[in-house]
Amino acid sequence: MKFRLAIAGHLPTDPAICRLFDEQIGQIRGFIGASGRHIDMELLVSPSYTDPNWKDRIRLTGFPVCCYRRDDPSWDDLCHQIISLETPLDYVVGEELCDKADLLLAVWNEDVTEMGGNTWSLLQQAHNRKVPAVWISSRTRQIYWSGEFYYEQYR
């Protein structure tokens, strides 16, 4: 069995945000390990939604990486599998990510100008497709999660 975690957003150089990301990965690992079943974890990325600053953090996880891309090979060196999509639209790439993901983990700055940005768009696509999402605010360092119909601060 596989658990697929989609990674999105812009990862700032802020060590506190990196620590929050690492903690979330640790909690997910712990949850999967507590199930008592063998579950492989795979990370899903896309140059359309996943900033290249993520590469070093993702390497540290040791998980295999699957890349969904149109024409940007920036992630190819890290990916064990590359899925090329013949579309000019980031939205289609986002749909594919959401269709395959069991959970979306994103870093988003919450700026109003980002409302039309790719991270916000992917969070909305995940919400519409009922994919659970956890997002870390790079502005406030708060962690939020999305249920089926609302966002709530993570406790």
Side-chain angles (χ1 to χ4, degrees), residues 124-142:
Q124 293 307 304
Q125 287 179 60
H127 178 76
N128 291 337
R129 292 175 177 278
K130 304 204 180 342
V131 175
V134 174
W135 57 276
I136 300 167
S137 167
S138 61
R139 186 178 51 125
T140 65
R141 297 181 180 158
Q142 293 293 316

Side-chain angles (χ1 to χ4, degrees), residues 7 10 17 20 94 97 112 118 153:
I7 305 292
H10 174 74
I17 300 296
L20 289 171
L97 276 175
V112 174
N118 280 351
Q153 187 169 339

Side-chain angles (χ1 to χ4, degrees), residues 138-152:
S138 61
R139 186 178 51 125
T140 65
R141 297 181 180 158
Q142 293 293 316
I143 299 172
Y144 299 87
W145 66 276
S146 153
E148 278 192 36
F149 300 106
Y150 59 91
Y151 286 100
E152 184 174 310

Side-chain angles (χ1 to χ4, degrees), residues 1-7 25 28 32 39-45 63-68 80-81 83 96-105 131-133:
M1 182 175 200
K2 267 192 186 178
F3 181 86
R4 292 179 177 96
L5 175 64
I7 305 292
I25 293 292
I28 293 166
I32 289 172
I39 300 173
D40 293 321
M41 193 158 161
E42 179 179 53
L43 302 182
L44 309 177
V45 300
F63 296 128
V65 179
C66 177
C67 181
Y68 289 82
H80 79 283
Q81 182 179 14
I83 299 170
E96 193 67 26
L97 276 175
C98 289
D99 285 346
K100 301 294 187 248
D102 295 303
L103 177 68
L104 169 63
L105 177 57
V131 175

Side-chain angles (χ1 to χ4, degrees), residues 53-74:
N53 289 341
W54 282 102
K55 282 185 174 184
D56 289 337
R57 302 274 10 125
I58 287 175
R59 272 189 194 94
L60 292 174
T61 69
F63 296 128
V65 179
C66 177
C67 181
Y68 289 82
R69 69 175 177 88
R70 292 178 302 146
D71 55 3
D72 181 349
S74 62

